[in-house]
Amino acid sequence: MGNVVFYRKYRPQNFESVTGQDAIVKTLANAILNNKIAHAYLFTGPRGTGKTSLARIFAKAINCQNRNNKEFEPCNKCQSCLEINDGSSLDVIEFDAATNTGIDDIRALQDNAKIKPVNNKYKIYIIDEAHQLSKSAYGALLKILEEPPEYIIFILATTDPEKMLKTILSRVQRFDFKKILVDDIVKKLEGVLKKEQIEYELAALNLIAKESDGGMRDAESMLGQITTMSKKVTVEVVENIIGGVNQNKIASFVDLLIAKDNKNLFQAISDLDNDGYNLEEFYKSLVEYMQNLLVIKVSSDLASLFKYEIADDFINILKNQADKTDIKFVKQALKCLINNQSYFGVVQNNRLPIEISVLEITEEQK
Ligand SMILES: Nc1ncnc2c1ncn2[C@@H]1O[C@H](COP(=O)(O)OP(=O)(O)OP(=O)(O)O)[C@@H](O)[C@H]1O
Ligand SMILES: [Mg+2]
Ligand SMILES: [Zn+2]
């Protein structure tokens, strides 16, 4: 099966295969059909929702040598399209603002912008992580934008539009990308697995989609990871993976326990259940987590005991939580959890053991 990077292999190559950004696709397609191309665009939105992909598709479409005036899709066959696809185009320049922050990089960009496109109508700069551009870089960019040569187009992409300068924001046409819906993610994952001829359980894909919180790249990357571990994509395998990475959910659950926020605790249990999590597994992870909290509560020096199992970030979260609670609370909570663990398998509804524990833990100390 090998280690396939699905999110590269299945990057959308035309507008039609972009999922969940219909309004943006439509506006860009119309701009192409009406030949109303702006000089600067801003693509903002969460990670892995299609900003870079759409920037490349747009660049391909406006430079495509086979496209006639009544079409908006790139052909993906002409020299220009192929060069953009393999990243060798001299007229589509991808610039990562996070790493190219030096004044030299910007001077190079400024000089480069003065040179007409080599083989194409437009020269397109795709600037990733645009919020990380330095002041001098912004200055240079604004200068170009004041009187942009006919052939120049900038597409700025960022997950963090709040950090962009107002002077830049006022000069760009802005598109806000949305998180991708669970169903849309599931559909794409299904398509990938069918092409790869890998078997799957639909519920497993649903779990992956929910876990990736609207980010298609995360979903595809988790799927890739799973297919290297298992011949079939099952709920069980997905849960194993999520269990390992999903300390986040447990950490926020424990926050709620410490805050004795029963309403949100019950809501969280219901959400986990509806999202298809195995509540018994969650419960076990919660016990483990509380045990770690107990250890840290005894002495934060003991964190080194589990530094191989828990990421540093989470050790810091644990330490924070330890500061907010006393050892008696943690001890009682663990006792409740252990006592009630035997209810699993006895009661029909797996929510019940957690709900009872929650009530006992939060009551105990009142
Ligand atoms: N809307 C989408 N439709 C289909 N696939 C998508 C979509 N968005 C992302 N993907 C998948 O995720 C991968 C990464 O997408 P892309 O690079 O376009 O995300 P991005 O929004 O630029 O993310 P980042 O903010 O991290 O740069 C793509 O190769 C593709 O497989
Ligand atoms: Mg990107
Ligand atoms: Zn083409």
Side-chain angles (χ1 to χ4, degrees):
M1 217 159 302
N3 193 350
V4 256
V5 184
F6 289 147
Y7 64 83
R8 279 212 200 102
K9 188 166 172 191
Y10 293 97
R11 186 189 281 284
Q13 300 296 357
N14 59 15
F15 288 107
E16 199 201 338
S17 41
V18 173
T19 310
Q21 311 294 359
D22 294 356
I24 297 173
V25 165
K26 206 166 165 198
T27 312
L28 290 175
N30 277 331
I32 295 169
L33 289 171
N34 300 323
N35 204 15
K36 290 223 162 77
I37 314 291
H39 280 294
Y41 294 91
L42 177 65
F43 289 1
T44 79
R47 287 160 31 84
T49 52
K51 299 182 295 296
T52 302
S53 303
L54 260 176
R56 289 187 192 161
I57 294 168
F58 186 67
K60 268 190 291 189
I62 58 181
N63 270 344
C64 177
Q65 292 150 354
N66 286 337
R67 191 179 56 82
N68 68 43
N69 293 337
K70 296 199 178 72
E71 290 168 19
F72 58 85
E73 290 283 18
C75 75
N76 280 307
K77 290 192 185 98
C78 69
Q79 193 196 346
S80 167
C81 283
L82 292 177
E83 282 179 0
I84 297 174
N85 279 347
D86 68 26
S88 67
S89 172
L90 295 173
D91 298 325
V92 176
I93 298 113
E94 295 201 23
F95 186 92
D96 184 355
T99 47
N100 302 295
T101 49
I103 187 73
D104 292 345
D105 298 312
I106 303 305
R107 289 238 173 83
L109 191 153
Q110 243 172 340
D111 290 343
N112 187 294
K114 286 180 196 140
I115 307 166
K116 287 198 172 143
V118 185
N119 293 317
N120 295 297
K121 189 163 171 200
Y122 294 105
K123 191 162 186 171
I124 300 130
Y125 293 87
I126 301 175
I127 303 189
D128 257 321
E129 310 287 343
H131 63 275
Q132 296 203 34
L133 283 175
S134 61
K135 275 248 159 64
S136 52
Y138 271 127
L141 190 60
L142 272 171
K143 219 170 188 174
I144 305 173
L145 283 178
E146 266 160 26
E147 262 177 87
E150 204 48 24
Y151 52 81
I152 288 275
I153 292 169
F154 286 101
I155 303 177
L156 308 175
T158 177
T159 48
D160 217 344
E162 281 72 37
K163 292 202 185 125
M164 304 277 301
L165 285 185
K166 292 237 160 52
T167 40
I168 294 276
L169 289 177
S170 66
R171 280 187 166 77
V172 298
Q173 190 177 344
R174 173 168 170 173
F175 292 98
D176 290 306
F177 285 61
K178 296 201 175 72
K179 285 186 179 180
I180 300 168
L181 300 177
V182 169
D183 284 353
D184 287 338
I185 295 184
V186 170
K187 258 184 233 145
K188 178 156 189 202
L189 298 183
E190 266 197 291
V192 168
L193 291 170
K194 284 196 175 127
K195 285 216 183 78
E196 299 286 332
Q197 298 189 307
I198 296 172
E199 284 185 74
Y200 61 90
E201 295 170 359
L202 201 54
L205 304 190
N206 219 39
L207 212 50
I208 296 174
K210 285 194 166 128
E211 186 64 19
S212 41
D213 192 27
M216 189 71 95
R217 187 199 294 107
D218 285 357
E220 285 174 289
S221 132
M222 200 190 295
L223 187 70
Q225 193 187 346
I226 289 159
T227 56
T228 59
M229 295 171 41
S230 160
K231 278 213 307 253
K232 186 173 174 184
V233 182
T234 62
V235 171
E236 201 188 340
V237 189
V238 177
E239 269 177 356
N240 271 334
I241 295 226
I242 292 175
V245 297
N246 203 12
Q247 293 282 314
N248 255 323
K249 282 217 159 65
I250 298 177
S252 33
F253 197 83
V254 171
D255 274 335
L256 292 171
L257 276 178
I258 293 171
K260 302 189 170 76
D261 183 348
N262 282 346
K263 176 167 171 271
N264 281 314
L265 282 161
F266 271 60
Q267 183 65 52
I269 296 166
S270 155
D271 288 347
L272 288 165
D273 196 19
N274 290 335
D275 288 353
Y277 286 90
N278 179 331
L279 292 182
E280 192 172 354
E281 287 303 317
F282 178 81
Y283 197 95
K284 285 185 197 155
S285 309
L286 183 62
V287 173
E288 243 171 66
Y289 190 99
M290 290 304 278
Q291 192 186 351
N292 291 338
L293 188 58
L294 186 73
V295 172
I296 295 225
K297 200 64 227 179
V298 170
S299 164
S300 63
D301 294 342
L302 294 171
S304 58
L305 287 180
F306 33 76
K307 71 168 185 257
Y308 296 109
E309 294 149 51
I310 305 179
D312 287 351
D313 284 0
F314 282 107
I315 293 196
N316 289 332
I317 293 177
L318 274 169
K319 284 183 177 163
N320 259 324
Q321 289 175 328
D323 287 341
K324 279 190 281 177
T325 177
D326 57 45
I327 197 158
K328 196 166 147 232
F329 177 83
V330 184
K331 193 182 73 187
Q332 297 286 11
L334 267 168
K335 278 189 173 169
C336 284
L337 288 168
I338 293 163
N339 283 336
N340 296 334
Q341 193 155 4
S342 56
Y343 287 131
F344 281 104
V346 179
V347 293
Q348 285 281 327
N349 183 330
N350 269 354
R351 276 165 32 180
L352 206 52
I354 310 189
E355 287 169 348
I356 292 175
S357 294
V358 160
L359 288 179
E360 287 181 6
I361 292 168
T362 56
E363 243 167 36
E364 209 75 45
Q365 315 277 315
K366 269 180 190 157

